[in-house]
Structures are given as structure tokens and as C-alpha cells.
Amino acid sequence: MRVLVTGGAGYIGSHTVLTLLEQGHDVEVVDNLVNGKAEAVRRVGELAGRDVPLHEVDLTDADATDAVLARGFDAVIHFAALKAVGESTQKPLEYYANNMGSTFTLMDAMRRHDCRTIVFSSSATVYGAKAPVPYVEDYEPLDSSSTYGQTKVMTERILTDVAAADPAWRVALLRYFNPVGAHPSGRIGEDPQGIPNNLVPFIAQVAVGRRDRLSVFGGDYPTADGTAERDYIHVQDVAEGHVVALDAIVGGDAGVRVWNLGSGQGTSVLEMIHAFERASGREIPYEVVDRRPGDLPAFWADPTKAEQELGWRTSRTVDDMCRDTWTWQSQNPQGYDA
């Protein structure tokens, strides 16, 4: 298949592009490089032994987006979005305009060029604060406390309504949990802009000497060690999940399919710190500080549906995630800018 990956120069996007190439697909990337790096795409091509066309286009630009889709694609995997949860609550207008606007122009261009197969990068944030744990795909109503999460809820609704109105559409909504890790080669990995918003890249930057210590937000949660628990999943497992989901909707009935991508178990902040210490051989200095508003004590996926319908399940452990993250960070202490 000819597959267009939006946001393919970003963290999860670049790993998915490599997996697609390894499965024999022809892949092109469109990315405005706000969160992604052209170097990531170059390295993906290096690993795959194939050049990957990169279109530096903002998907809110309708004419430029249409020109990319005019190249002819069988399917789109849609990652492109602003993604900082905290920032989204401070800049809601920018997040709604970008994340929703890019989806509108992308789908309009897809329709004009008769490409009606899309895998959407959604998130566990759509379950909100009231969903029982573990999260299951048929839970309603979807909700989120952040603007970022609301853009995922809204995009899922848009895709569902479009598919209901036009039965030619084939849609996969992938709700994944906490992707971490890197390609085992150490050539591609997570390279956050500024101060990392997520736990593992912050730990990695402490281990490599870029930051002094880690702040652990909350030590009094009702969990085994008092720190928050999350469902961490190796980015390679996430990438493989996108490819099998794409194969499933192409080979199956039209309409909308929804799958969680998660391990089905929680790992605490302290457990992750200690796993990274084992992987790196370095002590991770940390201090426990006040909880962050809106953080939940613990949540994880019920991955049963993906296993039954896609034959997909996680195959990599927390230790694998930390080992591969350390390989990436130690070889690229300044990320792609080194």
C-alpha cells in the first residue's frame, strides 16, 4: 500500500513509518516540524535502506494538504497534532484550531482524492476521570479534563459521523496509553521540545546529565508505593499496533473500529525510576512533591479486544522500554540536535 503518515517526523510517527517500511509498504510523511524533526525521517530511511519523502506542510493549509494527497495514497495514518496536555489548557484556542482544523482539511483532501481509509492516533485520555479501570472500548460517555484530550474526543466523533454518512470510509481509532522506549538501534527515539512533559524522557535526561533531578508528583496516592500508576507500552509495540490495525480495516468491513493499545497492567513512578536505574547503571535523583491537579491515581487498559480481533498484544517489558530509551538517550544526549 501507499501510506501517508501525518506527523511522521514525530516520536510515534517515525517508529510507525519504519515499521510500515519493514512490512513492505510505500510511505511518505507530511509534517510541519513543530514537534517533529527532519533528521528523524532521514534516519528512518537509513534504517530501512529506502528514502522517505518528507513534505514540510502544515495540514491547516488546505491547498498544500490537497497537493500532498494528490500524489495518490491508499491510506492515511494520522498523528499530526499539538500534544502537550498542560499547554493545551493554557492555549485552548490554538489547540482546537490546529488539531481540529488539520483534521478537517486532511479529510476533505482525502475525500477529493478518493482515499477513505484512515488510522487515527487517539489516546486513553478520552476515557476521562470517571471511567472504571481497566478502560474498555465501549465505555461512554467519552470525556477529558484537558483541551488536548477533548480534541481527541471530538476527532473520534467527526470520524465516526463521516463514516456513518459515507459507508466507503474505513476508520480505526487507536486509544493508546503511555508510549515509551525507542528503536533498539538507538537511532530514533523521543526528543521532546524544552522540558519533557512525560516521565520517562525526563528520567532519561536526568540520567544523561541534562537535568539535576526528577520531581515525583504525589507520594500519597492509594497505590502500592504511593506514586501514580500508568500503563506503559513500548513505542515499537505501538507502531506494530498501527500496522496491524491498518491491515485489519483494509481487509475487513467498512466502518469504524476502536481498539486500546496497552499492556493491561500499571507500573508506578517509583517502579519506572528503579527500572531505569537498572538499565542505565546510574542513580536517578528525585524528590516527591505535591500532586498535579487533575492527575489520576492509576489507570490501565483492557487490551482484550485488540488481542482477539487483531492478534496484537504487547511483547516488550518495562525493562526493555528503559534499556532502549537509555540506548537512544546515551547515544543522542541532545536528541536529534547533537
Side-chain angles (χ1 to χ4, degrees):
M1 273 187 289
R2 279 181 52 76
V3 183
L4 178 66
V5 179
T6 77
Y11 172 45
I12 304 171
S14 60
H15 287 79
T16 302
V17 170
L18 180 56
T19 303
L20 286 163
L21 291 168
E22 291 172 341
Q23 295 292 323
H25 298 289
D26 292 323
V27 186
E28 298 189 18
V29 169
V30 57
D31 200 303
N32 64 5
L33 302 182
V34 169
N35 289 316
K37 296 289 181 66
E39 176 65 10
V41 179
R42 190 195 69 78
R43 293 189 187 187
V44 165
E46 175 188 279
L47 289 167
R50 299 166 59 184
D51 289 336
V52 182
L54 169 61
H55 308 280
E56 190 176 345
V57 166
D58 191 311
L59 292 178
T60 60
D61 184 331
D63 290 340
T65 301
D66 187 80
V68 173
L69 267 295
R71 294 171 61 83
F73 296 95
D74 301 304
V76 172
I77 299 181
H78 184 30
F79 292 102
L82 296 176
K83 62 178 184 176
V85 173
E87 182 186 64
S88 76
T89 63
Q90 299 164 1
K91 299 180 177 180
L93 187 59
E94 288 85 350
Y95 269 69
Y96 284 124
N98 182 85
N99 293 4
M100 309 312 299
S102 62
T103 299
F104 293 145
T105 56
L106 172 66
M107 294 188 69
D108 194 38
M110 289 176 66
R111 182 173 54 183
R112 278 197 301 275
H113 296 286
D114 197 26
C115 174
R116 288 177 168 83
T117 299
I118 184 169
V119 177
F120 173 58
S121 166
S122 191
S123 167
T125 59
V126 302
Y127 290 110
K130 296 180 180 179
V133 177
Y135 294 163
V136 294
E137 289 89 344
D138 60 0
Y139 174 78
E140 293 284 351
L142 299 180
D143 194 12
S144 179
S145 60
S146 72
T147 301
Y148 164 77
Q150 287 293 350
T151 68
K152 296 296 187 182
V153 173
M154 292 178 183
T155 301
E156 284 200 17
R157 173 52 59 191
I158 292 165
L159 290 164
T160 300
D161 288 349
V162 168
D166 181 354
W169 282 88
R170 298 171 184 270
V171 177
L173 307 175
L174 299 186
R175 297 171 182 165
Y176 42 82
F177 284 66
N178 291 71
V180 297
H183 190 267
S185 67
R187 295 295 291 154
I188 58 173
E190 188 168 10
D191 185 19
Q193 308 295 310
I195 299 174
N197 291 301
N198 298 323
L199 174 65
V200 174
F202 204 114
I203 292 174
Q205 291 189 9
V206 171
V208 84
R210 285 177 62 179
R211 305 196 182 276
D212 292 335
R213 64 179 52 243
L214 171 73
S215 293
V216 175
F217 296 103
D220 58 351
Y221 284 109
T223 59
D225 63 21
T227 62
E229 295 179 356
R230 296 292 182 265
D231 188 341
Y232 295 97
I233 173 175
H234 199 295
V235 67
Q236 291 287 108
D237 283 327
V238 176
E240 291 164 8
H242 282 78
V243 177
V244 296
L246 176 60
D247 291 341
I249 62 174
V250 168
D253 296 331
V256 179
R257 309 285 295 280
V258 185
W259 292 289
N260 286 335
L261 297 184
S263 72
Q265 63 184 23
T267 300
S268 75
V269 174
L270 291 184
E271 287 174 329
M272 187 60 78
I273 291 171
H274 297 324
F276 207 94
E277 288 177 331
R278 291 193 299 272
S280 65
R282 300 188 177 190
E283 182 182 357
I284 306 298
Y286 69 89
E287 60 179 338
V288 179
V289 299
D290 291 340
R291 298 182 187 187
R292 289 182 301 193
D295 276 357
L296 300 177
F299 61 82
W300 54 87
D302 181 341
T304 304
K305 190 175 182 218
E307 184 171 357
Q308 292 178 343
E309 297 181 0
L310 299 176
W312 176 93
R313 63 183 300 173
T314 58
S315 62
R316 297 163 178 89
T317 67
V318 166
D319 285 328
D320 295 331
M321 300 172 205
C322 292
R323 180 200 64 224
D324 292 340
T325 301
W326 179 240
T327 299
W328 151 256
Q329 192 72 76
S330 60
Q331 291 182 12
N332 303 271
Q334 301 301 318
Y336 291 112
D337 293 334

